[in-house]
């Protein structure tokens, strides 16, 4: 891929290469429109590629995500910029100019063949964020098995400049003095698909999420459950013990005004139930408890999924966990009012506790582009009912969780809707043309 | 020659997704079952069934879409053919219960399991271990 | 027989200072965060629930509001910002008004005008009584005991004390009846648990189980010691205490006024700043309580200072004002107002332990089948 | 193709453990590798990921493979994925065979040994079959650029507008006399409190202004034929004077937006029908919408001061607890919108008629969407009192004694109050009824639409192809697929529209090449096949000159043949077959299945 040319022209800029951004881009590209995907990480795939399996079908997440990633990567109308961040989007007449910062990868994208020889040669170990910090990778590494592009990236913070990678690279692709570069992308429309981050583990001090090793985030649990994850099986982080008792604490980062997150994050009930089901598959004798205020299994087939989980013996306790403490043997104690016919306060011990964190917007674009953002931090959608993907700015659309928490099914549906809205908008701007005539592939396409 | 192997001829529109649904629900059934995906089981001539038993297949379950069949008249033709095959099996001294025609929809997981269980019972009665 | 929901109680409790009862969505966080909430006495949610449903009877029977010391942790962590701590506070006010058969409590709590008006009337009565009945005014030197002879004051003291005790005891009797509805306990059980009452009254032992700094407990404990000291000085040792000279009882007087002043000033500043949960919400009765207590301490000091310095008029005026603020305090706030928690709280604790003992005895004796 | 030319590549997917947890994939690959003509036999963590796909493409180039077998998940998920990888390697996509070792092996067999043995056998069968595969080309047929949208509710309107906005001609049919569907009767709608009627008016105005859209109201489908790109749908238009006009609409694709209907409680369910004070939520919304604010709400002349709302009526049902419908079905699922709609109705009621008391009987409050939790908070702030019931102990609705505070009593074991039995007196009981799919009718019957256990139309896959029906060229919009709110209905409608736009802009569609073909050598022109064929014009016997003699041969029209295979079974000379699904292939697979895998292992 050639990323040296200064200016590029596309029909649409999609900010974010997660599942929503990819789906929007694919739908647009299938209509013959040219699309630039700008992804801040080293690989596209977003949060979904890090998940183990997905509800309610229990398909592996990779099996859904990777084909879409591959399809985008191979699509003739799509250009992907990774390690790239949009620093500003400015309206110029009918069009937009986006300034994009290409962060240094320290590896020449055109030359790297993804052979990983550099990775094998590197001595510096770095905690692997993709694996929830439970395992490590080298300072120069291919982000993960299914990453696209399959190109190495070097972490300058952790590199000890030994130069081994430079020596072993068969294609001389390692460039230790790479600098950040700015490029401009000219587009006729923009889709914000910047996605979400989870509520911080330490958001609620009574949960001691950052202090107790056996209190983990749901994304870490996803990695523990993924068969190709850090341990290849479910062990608790503090001491590698196989947990006999696992608890999920719902609404640990949502529906809580004391955290400043009053809204429901929409996915936590279902991912907790899913993780509980997967756990009971891999640890058949473990006791699994889900502490919850309301179970929100609202989607197609979700209630049956929830019902099956109950039938499998997963215990649902109604009550918001108030306090989590570490007790003997690195076990974890939760205190909760069990709201049932007995109505008692219970202190229950578990080997491992998962905080079902909520969703916060991943990017605040207010200062970078002309776009309204609501009090909850998500992109404002002025008419959500009948125009769910339109933003306050004409020509700028939103896709997926950038417009509020959503599960994968809903995010993908909305991504398609965003693509439709974009194409109708572009059509209106060009009354004489047809979609096929409007194709203006990246100007630097060889 | 008689084995416990069950051949399942599953219509691509209904029964095959139905068999997938059994998997998606993580239900369980014996592994002596071999599902062949076919556009419609109407494609098989009578000889296909006789030959299959000859080759050593223990039982055949034809899982069609039934009246929901996306192809005009295919189910009726299939049903008529299998009636004839049943007679032919009797002539050949093969227990006609080793051949079963059934309709399986895309979510008929319970019926799928029942058919497999029933056929295994037939085979067990025939003296073939399931 | 099912309990009938009554939608009006939520509005009623609002008059006592709980604004957010309906905001609660029954997650149970408040109950589980509270270290005092355990076993059979779980709160605040249970109390909030009775309020939401308007279960007046159940609420009257609940000793739980008296078991809460309002550390505010429940309010700080409430996901709905329903202020459960303040709801408990308001429920205590409501309960005081329910225990009170005269209806005065209700007037004080639900009407600022009545509270201020009644206080002023009582103060004026004191002033008028002095204007009409005071003893000779010695102007050469301070002779307080001549101006206000101890026997008269003591008589008045005892009248007030008798009234106060009568109302307090009859109200406590009602609390007892409400709380012990349907509970059968023998006299021996009552006697065996009696120490609970005094331990909690004197030391607020349970408060120390609350999370967070123990300073709130300490401050309150000092305030109670100061208050009780003053109480005994005035009601039991008045002839020694109210002298024109200095004696050893003055030492106790110094201690009592010092902690009362410190305690009230500290609370007033806290309530003005509204930083800590316990100080975020102030009902008009809270202000009246602090104002009167602070005034009592301040005027008491003034009387003493003027007397020691030798300013007869100032001493006599200060003394009249001192008693004018004492009157509403003793006649309104003690039996009908916030002060009464000094009695109800340990009584509640006592009754809970009696109830628990009675239930377990009954269970052990096979009278009531063991639920486990 | 002669045998020595065949070079087979076999790939076994771990599926990240989904398969490899049960199946010894290395052993399967090893066994496959021992078979003749298998040049490459590998395993891979994720075959469908880019590295897996590139592996296939690369191996084809490196090793000259000309047959590919992948054993992974169900072909419904990734058969096309691997076909495109095969194409990238420079091979015809139909020289590929897919083996399902996940849904039909690793997920259904508990024993790893059995699963491995079966997977090995299935891979052997696939290898036996793939030898017979021949290069095929899709059948390209011209497509109508018109889209037919069935249903004029909010989803249908949205889809029609999107397609028209993209420049495609649209026929929008609606069975009732006017466009708008159910949204019109909802009063104000969440999350923002806009008027439903106003929203519909906006959309209908745009639809009327769009030249591309032809609207037919009072019109329903009576039948449909054809296939993607060339559907022919007959519709009947009720003219109002007992005669109906039948028309035929030719369309390249169909958007199904037939919507849903509210569940109608059976008589006696929470006192429904038995007491006039018991109404459904849609009825109540209509009453509320038409009432004038202030004072007390009046229903049938009675003034309403206290109202009970009961959630989950006809939703989240459980076998053994709920009474099934006459057709033995239960609605197991959540109807998704009723919680927020109910809470909003409660708030609206109190705010518009101050002094009204509202009780809300629920199982779980599911205000999941953006702005929905705020509606729950608003209901709380307005003083709605919530009571929670367990599924086995629903609230009881009975008549109150004369002179009570209300005419009805609702009694419940309230799990929020430690199971205490609580009773409330009310003037009106509102049942938050669930959603049921509306009757799709002749369209679904003639085009064979699949539906799920819940009766709603079933998409191919909720994430991979969420708006597409298994019938190619038919997409789903709105609540015909599952319960959803207006926002979600519009999102799915636009997502459906974008698929149709992608399909119809090219002017042609590619059909699968799996149609009948005749071997000229073997065909003797007996015509048995023709008598079996149900598709007019798909198969006929023609006379041809061969070596100076007039012979009769069967001929297939690929665009009309559906590939059902009815002709194949009856040919006395085995001259006719379905491309890609030949009898030889099936027989080869049966042979492979019958061969004892243990014997093979000992080879």
């Amino acid at each position: 891929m050639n990323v040296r040319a200064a200016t590029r022209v596309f029909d649409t800029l999609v900010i974010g290469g997660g599942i929503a951004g990819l789906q929007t881009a694919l739908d647009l590209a299938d209509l013959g429109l040219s699309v630039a995907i700008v992804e801040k990480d080293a690989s596209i795939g977003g949060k979904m590629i890090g998940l183990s399996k997905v509800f309610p079908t229990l398909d592996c997440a990779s099996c859904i995500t990777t084909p879409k990633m591959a399809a985008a990567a191979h699509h003739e109308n799509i250009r992907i910029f990774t390690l790239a961040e949009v620093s500003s989007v400015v309206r110029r007449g009918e069009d937009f100019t986006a300034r994009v910062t290409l962060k240094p990868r320290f590896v020449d994208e055109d030359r790297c063949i993804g052979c990983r020889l550099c990775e094998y040669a590197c001595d510096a170990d770095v905690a692997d964020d993709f694996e929830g910090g439970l395992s490590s990778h080298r300072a120069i590494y291919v982000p993960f098995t299914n990453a696209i592009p399959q190109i190495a990236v070097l972490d300058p913070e952790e590199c000890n400049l030994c130069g081994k990678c430079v020596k072993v690279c068969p294609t001389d692709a390692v460039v230790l003095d790479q600098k950040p570069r700015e490029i401009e992308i000219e587009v006729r429309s923009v889709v914000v698909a910047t996605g979400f981050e989870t509520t911080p583990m330490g958001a609620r001090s009574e949960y001691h999420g950052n202090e107790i090793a056996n209190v983990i985030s749901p994304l870490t649990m996803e990695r523990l459950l993924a068969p190709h994850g850090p341990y290849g099986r479910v062990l608790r982080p503090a001491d590698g013990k196989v947990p006999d008792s696992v608890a999920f604490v719902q609404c640990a980062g949502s529906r809580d005004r004391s955290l400043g997150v009053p809204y429901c994050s929409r996915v936590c009930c279902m991912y907790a139930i899913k993780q509980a089901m997967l756990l009971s598959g891999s640890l058949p004798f473990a006791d699994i408890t889900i502490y919850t205020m309301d179970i929100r299994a609202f989607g197609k087939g979700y209630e049956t999924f929830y019902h099956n989980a109950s039938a499998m013996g997963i215990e649902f306790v109604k009550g918001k966990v108030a306090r989590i403490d570490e007790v003997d043997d690195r076990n974890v104690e939760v205190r909760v009012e069990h709201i049932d016919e007995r109505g008692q306060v219970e202190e229950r011990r578990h080997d491992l506790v998962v905080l079902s964190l909520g969703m916060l917007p991943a990017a605040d674009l207010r200062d970078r582009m002309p776009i309204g953002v609501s009090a909850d931090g998500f992109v404002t959608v002025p008419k959500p009912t009948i125009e769910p993907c339109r933003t306050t700015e004409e020509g700028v659309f939103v896709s997926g969780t950038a417009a509020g928490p959503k599960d994968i099914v809903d995010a993908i549906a909305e991504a398609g809707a965003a693509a439709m809205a974009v194409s109708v908008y572009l059509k209106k701007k060009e009354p004489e043309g047809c979609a096929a005539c409007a194709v203006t592939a990246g100007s630097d396409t060889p | 020659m008689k084995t416990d192997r069950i051949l399942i001829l599953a219509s691509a529109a209904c029964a095959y997704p139905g068999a997938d649904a059994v998997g998606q629900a993580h239900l369980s059934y014996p592994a002596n079952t071999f599902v062949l995906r076919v556009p419609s089981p109407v494609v098989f001539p009578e000889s296909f069934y006789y030959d299959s038993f000859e080759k050593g297949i223990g039982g055949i379950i034809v899982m069609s879409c039934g009246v929901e069949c996306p192809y005009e008249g295919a189910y009726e033709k299939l049903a008529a053919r299998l009636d004839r095959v049943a007679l032919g099996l009797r002539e050949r001294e093969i227990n006609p219960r080793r051949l079963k025609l059934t309709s399986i929809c895309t979510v008929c997981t319970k019926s799928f399991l029942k058919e497999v269980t029933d056929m295994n019972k037939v085979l067990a009665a025939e003296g073939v271990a399931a | 027989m099912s309990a009938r929901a009554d939608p009006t109680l939520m509005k009623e409790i609002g008059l006592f200072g709980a604004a957010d009862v309906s905001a609660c969505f029954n997650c149970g966080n408040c109950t589980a965060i509270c270290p005092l909430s355990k076993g059979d006495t779980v709160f605040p949610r249970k109390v909030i629930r009775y309020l939401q449903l308007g279960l007046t009877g159940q609420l009257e029977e609940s000793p739980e509001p008296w078991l809460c010391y309002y550390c505010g942790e429940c309010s700080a962590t409430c996901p709905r910002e329903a202020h459960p701590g303040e709801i408990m506070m308001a429920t205590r006010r409501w309960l005081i008004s329910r225990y009170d058969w005269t209806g005065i409590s209700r007037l004080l709590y639900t009407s600022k005008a009545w509270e201020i008006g009644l206080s002023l009337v009582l103060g004026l009565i004191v002033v008028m009584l002095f204007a009409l009945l005071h003893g000779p005014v010695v102007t050469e030197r301070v002779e307080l005991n001549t101006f206000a002879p101890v026997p008269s004051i003591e008589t008045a003291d005892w009248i007030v004390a008798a009234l106060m005790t009568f109302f307090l005891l009859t109200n406590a009797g009602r609390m007892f009846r409400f709380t012990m509805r349907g509970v059968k306990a023998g006299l021996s059980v009552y006697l065996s648990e009696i120490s609970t009452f005094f331990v909690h009254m004197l030391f607020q032992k349970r408060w120390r189980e609350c999370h967070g700094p123990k300073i709130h407990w300490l401050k309150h404990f000092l305030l109670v010691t100061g208050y009780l000291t003053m109480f005994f000085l005035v009601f039991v040792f008045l002839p020694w205490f109210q002298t024109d000279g200095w004696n050893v009882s003055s030492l106790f007087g110094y201690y009592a006024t010092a902690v009362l002043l410190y305690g009230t000033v500290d609370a007033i500043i806290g309530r003005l700043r509204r930083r800590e949960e316990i100080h975020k919400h102030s009902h008009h009765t809270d202000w009246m309580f602090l104002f009167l207590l602070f005034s009592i301490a301040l005027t008491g000091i003034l009387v003493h200072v003027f007397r020691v310095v030798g300013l007869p008029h100032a001493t006599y005026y200060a003394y009249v004002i001192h008693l004018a603020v004492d009157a509403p305090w003793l006649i309104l706030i003690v039996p009908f107002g916030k002060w009464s928690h000094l009695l109800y709280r340990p009584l509640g604790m006592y009754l809970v332990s009696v109830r628990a003992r009675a239930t377990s005895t009954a269970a052990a004796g096979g009278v009531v089948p063991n639920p486990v | 193709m002669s045998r020595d030319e065949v070079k087979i590549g076999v790939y076994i997917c771990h599926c990240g453990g989904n398969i490899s947890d049960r199946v010894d994939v290395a052993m399967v690959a090893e066994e496959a590798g021992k078979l003749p003509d298998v040049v490459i036999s590998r395993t891979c963590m994720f075959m469908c990921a880019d590295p897996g796909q590139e592996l296939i493409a690369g191996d084809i180039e490196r090793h000259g493979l000309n047959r590919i077998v992948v054993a992974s998940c169900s072909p419904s998920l990734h058969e096309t994925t691997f076909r495109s990888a095969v194409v990238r390697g420079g091979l015809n996509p139909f020289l590929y065979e897919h083996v399902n070792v996940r849904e039909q092996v690793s997920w259904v067999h508990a024993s790893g040994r059995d699963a491995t043995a079966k997977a090995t056998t299935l891979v052997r069968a696939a290898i036996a079959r793939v030898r017979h595969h021949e290069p095929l080309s899709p059948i390209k047929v011209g497509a109508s650029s018109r889209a037919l949208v069935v249903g004029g509710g909010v989803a249908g309107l949205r889809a029609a507008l999107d397609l028209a906005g993209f420049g495609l001609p649209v026929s929008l049919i609606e069975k009732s006399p006017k466009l708008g569907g159910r949204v019109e009767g909802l009063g104000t709608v969440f999350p923002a409190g806009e008027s439903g009627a106003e929203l519909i008016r906006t959309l209908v105005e745009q639809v009327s202004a769009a030249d591309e859209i032809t609207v037919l109201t009072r019109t329903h489908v009576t039948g449909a034929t054809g296939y993607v790109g060339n559907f022919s749908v007959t519709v009947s238009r009720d003219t109002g004077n007992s005669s109906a006009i039948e028309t035929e609409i030719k369309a390249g694709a169909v958007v199904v937006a037939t919507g849903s209907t509210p569940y109608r409680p059976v008589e006696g369910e929470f006192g429904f029908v038995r007491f006039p004070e018991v109404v459904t939520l849609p009825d109540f919304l209509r009453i509320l919408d038409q009432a004038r604010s202030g004072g007390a709400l009046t229903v049938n002349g009675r003034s309403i001061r206290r109202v009970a709302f009961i959630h989950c009526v006809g939703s989240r049902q459980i076998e053994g607890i709920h009474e099934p419908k006459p057709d033995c079905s239960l609605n197991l699922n959540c109807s998704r919108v009723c919680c927020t709609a109910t809470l909003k109705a409660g708030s609206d009621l109190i705010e518009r008629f101050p002094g009204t008391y509202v009780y809300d009987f629920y199982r779980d409050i599911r205000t999941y969407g953006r702005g929905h939790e705020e509606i729950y908070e608003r209901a709380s702030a307005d003083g709605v009192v919530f009571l929670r019931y367990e599924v086995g102990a629903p609230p009881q609705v009975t008549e109150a004694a004369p002179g009570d505070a209300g005419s009805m009593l609702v009694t419940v074991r309230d799990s929020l109050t430690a199971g205490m039995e609580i009773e409330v007196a009310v003037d009106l009981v509102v049942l938050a009824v669930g959603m049921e799919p509306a009757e799709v009718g002749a369209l679904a019957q003639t085009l064979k639409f699949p539906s799920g256990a819940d009766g709603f139309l079933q998409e191919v896959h909720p994430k991979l192809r969420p708006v597409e029906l298994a019938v190619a060229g038919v997409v789903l919009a709105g609540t015909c697929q599952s319960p959803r709110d207006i926002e979600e209905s519009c999102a799915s409608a636009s997502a459906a529209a974008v698929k149709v736009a992608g399909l119809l802009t090219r002017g042609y569609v590619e059909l699968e090449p799996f149609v009948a073909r005749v071997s000229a050598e073997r065909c003797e022109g007996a015509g048995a096949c023709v008598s079996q064929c149900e598709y007019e014009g798909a198969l006929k016997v023609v006379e041809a000159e061969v070596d100076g003699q007039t012979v009769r041969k069967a001929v297939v029209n690929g665009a009309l043949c559906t590939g059902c295979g009815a002709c194949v079974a009856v040919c006395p000379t085995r001259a006719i077959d379905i491309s890609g699904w030949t009898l030889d292939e099936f027989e080869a697979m049966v042979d492979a299945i019958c061969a004892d895998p243990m014997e093979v292992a000992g080879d």
Side-chain angles (χ1 to χ4, degrees), chain C residues 5 10 39 56 75-76 89 96 98 150 152 158 165 215 230 243 254 263 326 343 354:
Chain C
M10 259 204 280
T56 310
S75 293
M89 187 72 218
I96 290 173
R98 299 299 284 192
V150 165
S152 318
W158 285 110
T165 312
I215 188 74
M230 188 58 83
T243 57
Y254 290 157
D326 270 358
L343 174 65
V354 169

Side-chain angles (χ1 to χ4, degrees), chain A residues 23 27 30-31 48 53-60 62-64 66-68 70 73-74 145-148 150 226-228 255 257 262-266 293-304 306-307 318 339-343 374 376-388 402-404 406 408-410 412-414 416-417 419-420 423-424 427-428 435, chain D residues 15-18 21 45-46 48-51 53-54 77-78 81 88 102-103 107 154 158 161-163 165-167 189-192 194 199 202-203 316 318 332-334 336 362-370 373-374 376-377 388 390 413 415-416 418-419 454 456-459 461-467 481-482 486-488 490-492 494-495 497-499 501-502 505:
Chain A
Q23 185 65 52
D27 283 337
D30 283 346
L31 295 179
M48 189 179 172
K53 293 176 188 177
V54 284
F55 59 83
T57 46
L58 290 185
D59 291 305
C60 73
S62 299
C63 304
I64 317 278
T66 48
K68 293 198 197 258
H74 295 296
T145 326
N146 306 328
I148 286 186
Q150 277 284 311
H228 50 304
R255 294 184 71 194
R257 286 204 166 271
Y263 54 83
C264 166
S265 289
R266 200 164 161 158
M293 303 201 282
D294 299 282
I295 282 290
R296 296 190 162 173
F298 54 83
K300 186 170 187 172
Y302 294 4
E303 181 72 16
T304 315
Y306 165 40
H307 193 68
K318 180 168 166 65
I339 302 176
D340 63 355
E341 305 225 331
R342 285 173 59 242
S374 302
D376 56 12
F378 292 102
V379 172
T380 303
V381 178
K383 215 164 177 64
T385 40
I386 56 172
E387 292 175 307
K406 241 167 239 102
I408 296 166
V409 173
D410 292 337
I412 289 176
E414 204 193 83
M420 188 75 249
S423 57
V424 170
K427 200 83 183 174
K428 266 196 203 118
Chain D
C15 198
N18 270 306
D21 285 352
M45 183 56 87
F46 290 110
C48 59
D50 208 41
Q53 294 187 35
E54 290 308 301
L77 298 174
H78 286 313
T81 310
R88 282 208 299 283
R102 193 178 78 167
E103 281 82 351
W107 278 356
V154 73
R158 179 75 267 162
L161 275 176
D162 285 340
L163 290 166
F166 194 69
V189 296
F190 62 80
E194 305 144 291
L199 288 180
T202 314
L203 291 174
R316 299 183 66 192
I318 288 177
L332 306 179
N333 277 306
C334 165
R336 192 163 171 143
Y362 74 100
R363 283 170 63 190
D364 292 287
I365 293 290
R366 294 184 164 174
T367 43
Y368 62 87
R370 194 176 182 193
E373 190 73 13
E374 288 84 336
Y376 183 15
E377 289 184 307
R388 184 166 183 270
E390 298 291 341
R413 282 171 67 88
S415 74
L416 300 178
D454 54 5
F456 287 94
L457 294 175
Q458 187 72 36
E459 68 286 341
H461 186 278
K463 297 181 184 78
L464 280 174
R465 292 164 69 190
V467 294
Q481 188 181 2
S482 67
I486 300 171
E487 176 175 353
E488 292 153 353
C490 284
S492 77
S494 293
V498 86
K499 291 288 170 219
T505 41

Side-chain angles (χ1 to χ4, degrees), chain A residues 52 73 113 236 288 313 382:
Chain A
S52 56
I113 55 169
R236 63 181 201 174
I288 302 166

Side-chain angles (χ1 to χ4, degrees), chain A residues 356-431:
Chain A
S356 290
L357 302 174
M359 285 188 178
L360 302 181
D364 186 353
L365 297 169
R366 252 173 303 196
D367 303 329
R368 290 186 264 163
M369 59 191 296
I371 187 175
V373 171
S374 302
D376 56 12
F378 292 102
V379 172
T380 303
V381 178
K383 215 164 177 64
T385 40
I386 56 172
E387 292 175 307
C389 301
R390 193 164 66 76
T391 70
T392 51
E393 179 74 6
E394 209 196 359
V396 180
F397 301 86
V398 63
S399 170
T401 54
K406 241 167 239 102
D407 62 27
I408 296 166
V409 173
D410 292 337
I412 289 176
E414 204 193 83
M420 188 75 249
V422 170
S423 57
V424 170
Y425 166 80
L426 292 178
K427 200 83 183 174
K428 266 196 203 118
K429 291 283 155 195
E430 228 171 75

Side-chain angles (χ1 to χ4, degrees), chain C residues 3-5 22 45 49 80, chain D residues 380 386 404 414 416 421 423:
Chain C
R4 175 64 73 97
S22 66
R45 194 188 67 81
R49 192 63 193 148
R80 272 286 189 94
Chain D
S380 294
F386 291 88
D404 204 336
D414 178 31
L416 300 178
E421 195 171 279
E423 140 193 307

Side-chain angles (χ1 to χ4, degrees), chain A residues 254-288:
Chain A
S254 324
R255 294 184 71 194
D256 194 336
R257 286 204 166 271
S258 77
L259 309 179
V261 187
Y263 54 83
C264 166
S265 289
R266 200 164 161 158
V267 296
C268 333
C269 281
M270 289 304 292
Y271 74 60
I273 295 174
K274 172 203 73 182
Q275 292 185 347
M277 281 175 108
L278 295 175
L279 271 175
S280 70
S282 54
L283 307 170
F285 300 109
D287 294 322
I288 302 166

